[in-house]
Amino acid sequence: MPAKSMEELVALCKRRGFIFQTNEIYGGLQGLYDYGPLGVELKSNLKQAWWRSMVYERDDVEGLDAAILTNPEVLKQSGHEETFTGPLVDCRSCNSRWRADHLEKSACPSCGSKDLTEPRPFNLMFKTNLGPIDDGTSFAYLRPETAQQTFTNFKNVVDSTSKSLPFGIAQIGKAFRNEVTPRNFIFRVREMEQMELEFFVKPGTDEEWHQFWVKNRLNWWSKQGISEEKLDLYDVPKKELAHYSKSTIDIMYKFPHGLEELEGVANRTDFDLGSHTKNQSGLSINAKVVKNTSSNAKLAIQDRETKEWTVPYVIEPAAGVERGVLAVLNESYEVQELEDGKERTVLSLKPHLSPIKAAVISGNIGKSYRRHDEVGTPLCITLDFQTLEDQTLTIRNRDNMEQERIHQNETAAYLQEIIK
Ligand code: ATP
């Protein structure tokens, strides 16, 4: 049974050093969080699991780690300058500001008033100056998604790896969105990390690959311990689709605050490569792209046999690391009643995600067990007087609380078996 409320998770995260509010000693900064000693490990384990399944276990995917600061021209051509907006409304009663599409019953969440201004578009991208002079002309955007830096590196990756279709480029990294109403703990933040794969395919095979990636991603989430009953698919209706998408399937998860998007799997067509390429008219691009006079690269791939140039279609599974961490924490959190009438809080994290794989303890054993249950440590190893006599140890299992005595020489093999 997962957490009953977000508050329980927030409290555990603070108490045990998973997640803290940024700059809390100065009153915090909205929509920003820091990962503490255990949180940084959990987050890194989730990212590693993604990287392993996307890059190391596949022959057709290469990795990339690109810059966060982005040339404005990139986000102009990609359509983000014009369309990456949220509808903003002000409450005339209490002067608070909200995203119109996040309001329930068109009322101000702060005071309940329905006296709101008309929605107006607000661009979600952060800007910063480049160089010492702040004259408004030399600026960069903080990337709102990792994807655009992948598209602008398409030719570099193809030329340096000789890939042919279908193949993908995977990237994990920070992205920034000036969300009007960051909320629900780490669910909607202004500084986040994304795990995005851009998978390039031959036009015409895109729908098949779209289905493939939806299934693949559902399967991956289930390997991270997310139960199938809590996941759902949402076929995004045409009128809600992002400007680049032909079709998007959102993988939804039942978070403590409701069923919401965990990951989006989009068919981005040839929109992005088509938008960033030079000589667009010489290539058959299906998407509606804006004329590009500034790119110096042809973002197309040549078939080795037919020698024909193709602008590939892109299937993009895009997941948020924070939402992944929140889902994994929620899913594994449980308060259990024990036979002796006491309670224990346990995080039954999959061992590969646990920040601590095994804890070696001696003394104050009961208290140490509880502490490690709460942070999801799968095994506790206890040394006692008998260890000195016969070199045996007690291994205690987090999930069933059973204890076994094994010889110390068997410990490594035992741990490997549990943690693999
Ligand atoms: P939403 O509709 O919830 O704002 P989105 O559809 O704009 O999300 P995408 O652009 O598809 O999100 O981004 C891919 C993934 O990045 C999302 O599925 C989500 O996991 C994550 N993500 C997007 N915005 C945020 C945010 N503000 N905070 C945390 N994670 C985010």
Side-chain angles (χ1 to χ4, degrees), residues 385-397:
F385 287 115
Q386 205 180 320
T387 315
L388 300 176
E389 284 164 22
D390 61 7
Q391 289 84 49
T392 62
L393 315 155
T394 305
I395 297 212
R396 185 260 194 185
N397 184 303

Side-chain angles (χ1 to χ4, degrees), residues 36-276:
L38 296 185
V40 65
E41 299 299 332
L42 171 60
K43 195 179 183 202
S44 152
N45 291 341
L46 188 70
K47 290 190 283 182
Q48 274 177 34
W50 187 90
W51 196 259
R52 207 178 309 121
S53 100
M54 287 297 188
V55 183
Y56 298 153
E57 291 175 4
R58 297 188 67 91
D59 289 337
D60 55 0
V61 174
E62 300 288 340
L64 179 77
D65 182 17
I68 287 168
L69 296 184
T70 309
N71 185 332
E73 201 59 35
V74 173
L75 294 151
K76 184 176 150 203
Q77 288 298 146
S78 69
H80 283 80
E81 267 195 351
E82 202 179 325
T83 58
F84 197 62
T85 53
L88 188 74
V89 291
D90 288 310
C91 170
R92 289 197 184 94
S93 294
C94 70
N95 295 325
S96 57
R97 186 163 275 183
W98 306 96
R99 255 186 83 149
D101 53 339
H102 292 166
L103 298 182
E104 277 171 32
K105 297 182 188 137
S106 308
C108 167
S110 177
C111 71
S113 165
K114 292 203 165 182
D115 189 9
L116 308 173
T117 58
E118 280 299 305
R120 60 192 185 283
F122 167 78
N123 197 295
L124 299 177
M125 290 195 293
F126 284 100
K127 270 183 188 176
T128 191
N129 300 318
L130 285 184
I133 300 163
D134 179 9
D135 62 359
T137 57
S138 179
F139 72 94
Y141 286 115
L142 274 66
R143 63 184 182 188
E145 58 178 17
T146 64
Q148 294 307 321
Q149 303 294 62
T150 301
F151 299 132
T152 54
N153 273 294
F154 176 80
K155 186 170 160 24
N156 289 332
V157 175
V158 171
D159 289 352
S160 57
T161 63
S162 310
K163 284 279 175 217
S164 53
L165 296 179
F167 79 96
I169 304 178
Q171 197 176 174
I172 299 180
K174 293 261 185 183
F176 299 80
R177 296 183 185 184
N178 197 1
E179 298 280 358
V180 183
T181 40
R183 60 192 170 159
N184 294 319
F185 192 31
I186 54 170
F187 175 82
R188 185 172 300 286
V189 288
R190 290 181 168 142
E191 175 175 338
M192 59 167 146
E193 275 188 275
Q194 292 183 313
M195 308 183 280
E196 294 194 306
L197 172 72
E198 308 309 319
F199 197 74
F200 303 99
V201 304
K202 279 192 187 145
T205 65
D206 50 310
E207 290 181 10
E208 220 175 288
W209 277 109
H210 196 192
Q211 294 307 321
F212 168 88
W213 279 110
V214 171
K215 276 205 204 107
N216 176 294
R217 298 303 301 145
L218 280 173
N219 192 16
W220 185 83
W221 283 113
S222 112
K223 286 192 187 148
Q224 311 317 309
I226 307 293
S227 57
E228 278 172 29
E229 312 88 72
K230 292 256 195 35
L231 291 171
D232 209 349
L233 294 179
Y234 177 64
D235 193 346
V236 179
K238 283 262 170 310
K239 61 176 179 7
E240 286 176 29
L241 287 176
H243 61 281
Y244 51 72
S245 174
K246 166 177 161 184
S247 126
T248 298
I249 310 273
D250 284 344
I251 299 179
M252 312 290 280
Y253 172 73
K254 222 173 192 185
F255 287 96
H257 62 283
L259 188 68
E260 296 254 25
E261 177 180 334
L262 172 62
E263 170 163 5
V265 188
N267 182 344
R268 295 182 77 129
T269 71
D270 53 2
F271 176 82
D272 298 280
L273 293 182
S275 296
H276 291 303

Side-chain angles (χ1 to χ4, degrees), residues 319-362:
V321 178
E322 284 72 15
R323 291 188 191 179
V325 167
L326 186 58
V328 160
L329 282 172
N330 182 52
E331 199 68 17
S332 60
Y333 180 96
E334 191 174 5
V335 179
Q336 292 175 346
E337 265 185 39
L338 303 176
E339 281 170 8
D340 61 6
K342 291 192 179 140
E343 278 188 346
R344 74 161 181 157
T345 303
V346 57
L347 275 189
S348 48
L349 292 169
K350 290 278 183 194
H352 71 277
L353 295 178
S354 293
I356 302 168
K357 307 299 181 205
V360 179
I361 55 179
S362 61

